[in-house]
Amino acid sequence: MKASLKDPSFGAESDDVRRRSAKVVVKAIGSVPKKDVAEVIDGLSGEEQDALMRYLYRGLADREACSQLLEWHGALTEKAGMGCVMRALADRRVL
């Protein structure tokens, strides 16, 4: 997951590549026990947190593991603040 967050697929021309990248992150999120979510988020840089928020929204749009993604969204918003949400929503690059 960390590798995907360091180099998000913003520039990928193929929607298939972006979709697969998002699926990798969503799958990684699903493998993290609920008790470790805050610790994982704490280990991310600000840019990685912003990329994670973008992936969370992509997963929600694809209707993948919504309850887990919403839990992560809450934990990430608590840690990174509303600025992270605003940057994810305002960024026009396609993920």
Side-chain angles (χ1 to χ4, degrees):
M1 178 170 73
K2 193 141 170 106
S4 292
L5 297 177
K6 280 186 185 274
D7 187 24
S9 60
F10 294 131
E13 292 186 23
S14 168
D15 187 49
D16 187 50
V17 170
R18 291 189 301 268
R19 186 175 318 130
R20 282 188 277 150
S21 177
K23 283 187 180 285
V24 166
V25 174
V26 170
K27 187 174 182 177
I29 286 170
S31 70
V32 175
K34 192 184 277 192
K35 64 180 179 62
D36 295 335
V37 170
E39 182 180 330
V40 170
I41 291 172
D42 285 342
L44 300 175
S45 70
E47 287 182 10
E48 291 167 337
Q49 290 173 352
D50 288 352
L52 176 58
M53 186 63 78
R54 297 279 315 275
Y55 278 115
L56 291 175
Y57 283 121
R58 173 68 190 240
L60 288 167
D62 291 343
R63 296 179 188 97
E64 303 236 358
C66 290
S67 63
Q68 256 184 333
L69 295 179
L70 288 172
E71 289 175 16
W72 275 75
H73 184 278
L76 182 56
T77 302
E78 185 176 310
K79 168 67 178 169
M82 289 302 294
C84 182
V85 173
M86 296 306 294
R87 286 186 294 277
L89 295 175
D91 193 343
R92 295 293 179 194
R93 295 176 292 173
V94 177
L95 181 63

